[in-house]
């Protein structure tokens, strides 16, 4: 048998093996779905985003690309609703199990055994109760809530779960008790696991937690620790009113987000896409000169915050080859280049305390254009928006009152507040 025949045979065998494996996988999947339905559960092959829309804590609530996949829904033997779902985002991919609790509660994070803290969680580590024993870690925004939630009965149920699996990674997300890595591959294992998981929910329902009940939130794509952000998706009308690149063709927007943080200025953030076309010449294999059209795709992040008054043009950036306006602090001049149409306005806004703030919290380059502050952030993502939002709120709070009055306002719209660093995604 010559070499070509061997290659052809190998290709045929590999193709046949692939077909057989595909058939086996399909049969196994159908058997698995049948085993779920025999328990009275529902299997959803392609759930809509509504399946996780109300969930806002990691692994949910992070990033712009979130996709629920296979979903199992049903009720436990005592009637408690549950769902087990595959979930994917830029930051995490895996399976999540959830059972419903009777109240909407603040976030609480409990890990024990062979597991890692979840990516993106911003919570304070609080003491774990003695009843849990060693090896547990508890995180919460409100230590008093954590202490009230972790009753002896809840601790007993958690220890029982930990005894039956390598690790426990559990959280409260509004009215859902959430755990990562359920044993979803085998319905014979998943059933008892859900029953045991439901006992933890029952113990939490029995705890005196009414003082911490949270208000109902609208079912929309939410952002962790940013309740006033809104996902728009596409809004090409922004191309007419924002400083996007005007050249090229095929302009469009994606990943449009609007919102604000607390009493800070409202923002709009998105990715701008466009194309350029050029003609280039080349020499073909026969030495003849030919031409062809080349289309290139481009994108840029856009991030702007609406200001409460029209501002004189001002730009603050890291120092490059130019110096810009000179200030009394040489350390500041070495780090930043400030340009302005009105030099006095620049000196009024960039005073010594403001310089200290800028040096302690170096921002992406930004500029005031009329009643907008536009950032050249370089990327479009959730942490960048959050950092720029917090920075700008602090910057505006340090603009003197007389400047705001000169701009036509009765008083400063942003009273001073303590600067709190934006937690990074861990």
């Amino acid at each position: 048998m010559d070499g070509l025949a061997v290659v052809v045979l190998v290709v045929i065998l590999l193709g046949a093996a692939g077909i057989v494996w595909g058939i086996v996988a399909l049969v196994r999947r159908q058997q698995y779905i049948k085993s779920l339905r025999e328990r009275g559960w529902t299997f959803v092959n392609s759930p809509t985003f509504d399946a996780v829309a109300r969930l806002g804590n990691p692994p949910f609530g992070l990033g712009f690309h979130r996709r629920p996949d296979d979903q199992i829904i049903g009720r436990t033997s005592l009637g408690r609703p549950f769902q087990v779902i595959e979930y994917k985002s830029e930051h995490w991919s895996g399976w999540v199990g959830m059972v419903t609790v009777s109240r909407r509660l603040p976030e609480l994070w409990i890990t024990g055994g062979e597991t890692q803290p979840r990516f993106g969680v911003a919570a304070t580590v609080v003491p774990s109760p003695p009843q849990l024993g060693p090896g547990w870690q508890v995180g919460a925004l409100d230590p008093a809530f954590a202490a009230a939630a972790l009753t002896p009965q809840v601790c007993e149920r958690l220890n029982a779960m930990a005894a039956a699996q390598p690790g426990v990674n559990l959280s409260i997300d509004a009215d859902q008790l959430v755990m990562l890595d359920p044993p979803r591959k085998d319905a014979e294992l998943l059933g008892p696991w859900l029953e045991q998981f439901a006992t933890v929910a029952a113990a939490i329902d029995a705890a005196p937690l009414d003082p911490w009940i949270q208000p109902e939130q609208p079912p929309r794509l939410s952002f962790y620790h940013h309740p006033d952000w809104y996902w728009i998706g596409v809004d090409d009308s922004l191309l007419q009113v924002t400083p996007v690149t005007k050249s090229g063709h095929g302009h469009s927007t994606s990943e449009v987000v609007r919102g604000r943080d607390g009493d800070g200025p409202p923002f709009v953030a998105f990715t701008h896409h466009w194309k350029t076309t050029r003609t280039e010449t080349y020499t073909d294999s026969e030495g003849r000169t030919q031409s062809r059209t080349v289309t290139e795709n481009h994108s840029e992040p856009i991030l702007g915050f609406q200001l409460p008054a029209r501002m004189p043009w001002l730009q603050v950036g890291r120092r490059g080859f130019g110096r810009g306006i000179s200030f009394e602090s040489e350390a500041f001049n070495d780090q930043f280049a400030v340009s302005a149409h009105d030099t006095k306005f620049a000196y009024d806004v960039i005073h010594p305390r403001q310089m200290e703030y800028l040096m302690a919290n170096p921002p992406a380059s930004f500029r005031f254009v009329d009643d907008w502050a536009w950032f050249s952030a370089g990327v479009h993502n959730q942490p960048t928006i959050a950092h720029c939002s917090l920075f700008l709120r602090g910057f505006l709070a340090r603009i003197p009152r007389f400047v705001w009055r000169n701009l036509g306002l009765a008083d400063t719209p942003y009273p001073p507040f303590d600067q709190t660093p934006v937690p990074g995604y861990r």
Side-chain angles (χ1 to χ4, degrees):
M1 184 179 294
D2 59 24
L4 179 59
V6 171
V7 171
V8 171
L9 180 61
V10 169
V11 170
I12 293 173
L13 290 174
L14 289 175
I19 293 172
V20 171
W21 175 250
I23 294 172
V24 169
L26 179 62
V27 170
R28 286 180 176 176
R29 181 175 175 84
Q30 293 305 314
Q31 290 174 340
Y32 172 68
I33 294 172
K34 182 174 181 290
S35 70
L36 299 176
R37 290 172 176 163
E38 286 174 347
R39 290 178 167 268
W41 302 344
T42 300
F43 179 84
V44 182
N45 186 54
S46 298
T48 65
F49 189 77
D50 290 344
V52 295
R54 294 186 302 146
L55 298 162
N57 298 337
F60 310 102
L62 299 178
F64 299 152
H65 303 282
R66 314 178 193 179
R67 187 167 70 90
D69 207 334
D70 291 351
Q71 179 192 34
I72 305 164
I73 53 178
R75 292 180 179 271
T76 65
S77 61
L78 295 179
R80 189 176 295 271
F82 75 82
Q83 72 165 318
V84 177
I85 193 166
E86 186 178 11
Y87 181 77
K88 300 175 183 178
S89 72
E90 301 104 308
H91 310 289
W92 189 84
S93 177
W95 283 78
V96 186
M98 288 167 269
V99 292
T100 301
V101 292
S102 61
R103 294 162 289 190
R104 296 181 58 84
L105 298 171
E107 63 184 273
L108 180 66
W109 309 90
I110 306 168
T111 57
E114 298 176 11
T115 188
Q116 297 295 321
R118 298 187 200 179
F119 176 88
V121 172
T124 301
V125 175
V126 300
S128 61
Q131 297 94 329
L132 270 181
W136 291 88
Q137 188 175 65
V138 179
L141 298 181
D142 183 350
F145 169 69
L150 291 173
T151 62
Q153 292 76 20
V154 172
C155 293
E156 178 187 354
R157 296 292 87 214
L158 288 171
N159 278 315
M161 288 214 76
Q165 59 192 71
V168 171
N169 195 320
L170 179 144
S171 65
I172 293 177
D173 191 338
D175 63 352
Q176 297 295 305
L177 191 62
V178 180
M179 190 178 295
L180 303 188
D181 303 320
R184 49 87 189 176
K185 291 184 178 180
D186 187 342
E188 295 300 320
L189 297 177
L190 182 59
W193 182 88
L194 286 166
E195 296 295 330
Q196 190 174 43
F197 191 22
T199 66
V200 182
I204 290 174
D205 285 347
L209 302 176
D210 284 357
W212 288 277
I213 292 177
Q214 304 292 295
E216 181 76 23
Q217 297 297 319
R220 63 168 187 258
L221 188 147
S222 59
F223 293 89
Y224 181 54
H225 284 186
H226 299 285
D228 295 323
W229 290 20
Y230 300 86
W231 175 261
I232 306 298
V234 174
D235 182 1
D236 289 349
S237 68
L238 292 169
L239 300 173
Q240 308 304 318
V241 295
T242 56
V244 299
T245 299
K246 301 298 184 182
S247 60
H249 59 93
H251 294 266
S252 64
T253 60
S254 71
E255 300 173 345
V256 179
V257 182
R258 287 185 177 271
R260 69 190 307 167
D261 286 308
D263 66 348
F267 70 84
V268 62
F270 60 95
T271 299
H272 167 222
H273 305 271
W274 75 101
K275 299 177 181 180
T276 57
T277 302
R278 58 185 171 85
T279 300
E280 66 178 20
T281 59
Y282 67 98
T283 302
D284 64 18
S285 59
E286 298 180 1
R288 294 174 299 188
T289 299
Q290 303 283 357
S291 63
R292 60 189 171 195
T293 300
V294 177
T295 299
E296 297 178 329
N297 296 301
H298 310 270
S299 66
E300 63 182 350
I302 302 294
L303 173 60
F305 295 81
Q306 190 165 23
L307 302 171
R310 294 175 67 89
M311 299 275 207
W313 188 91
L314 173 76
Q315 180 170 286
V316 179
R318 304 306 294 270
R319 182 183 172 188
F321 295 105
R323 280 189 71 88
I325 298 172
S326 181
F327 292 84
E328 61 188 64
S329 168
E330 284 304 316
F332 178 81
N333 292 332
D334 289 341
Q335 290 188 49
F336 293 93
V338 179
S339 303
H341 290 170
D342 182 341
T343 303
K344 181 182 182 303
F345 176 74
Y347 283 130
D348 289 342
V349 170
I350 312 293
H351 50 77
R353 285 183 54 249
Q354 193 76 279
M355 286 186 261
E356 291 176 3
Y357 177 70
L358 283 160
M359 289 189 287
N361 304 275
S365 297
F366 67 96
R367 63 191 183 280
F368 291 163
V369 182
D370 295 329
D371 57 347
W372 282 87
W374 298 103
F375 280 77
S376 300
V379 294
H380 175 54
N381 59 36
Q382 190 170 334
T384 297
I385 298 171
H387 277 281
C388 291
S389 177
L390 183 61
F391 163 80
L392 184 61
R393 173 61 176 82
F395 183 90
L396 297 174
R398 288 167 173 80
I399 294 179
R401 181 176 285 107
F402 76 86
V403 174
W404 293 111
R405 289 175 175 169
N406 289 342
L407 294 170
L409 301 185
D411 202 349
T412 174
Y414 301 110
F417 77 128
D418 291 335
Q419 170 79 0
T420 302
V422 176
Y425 288 175
R426 297 186 294 274

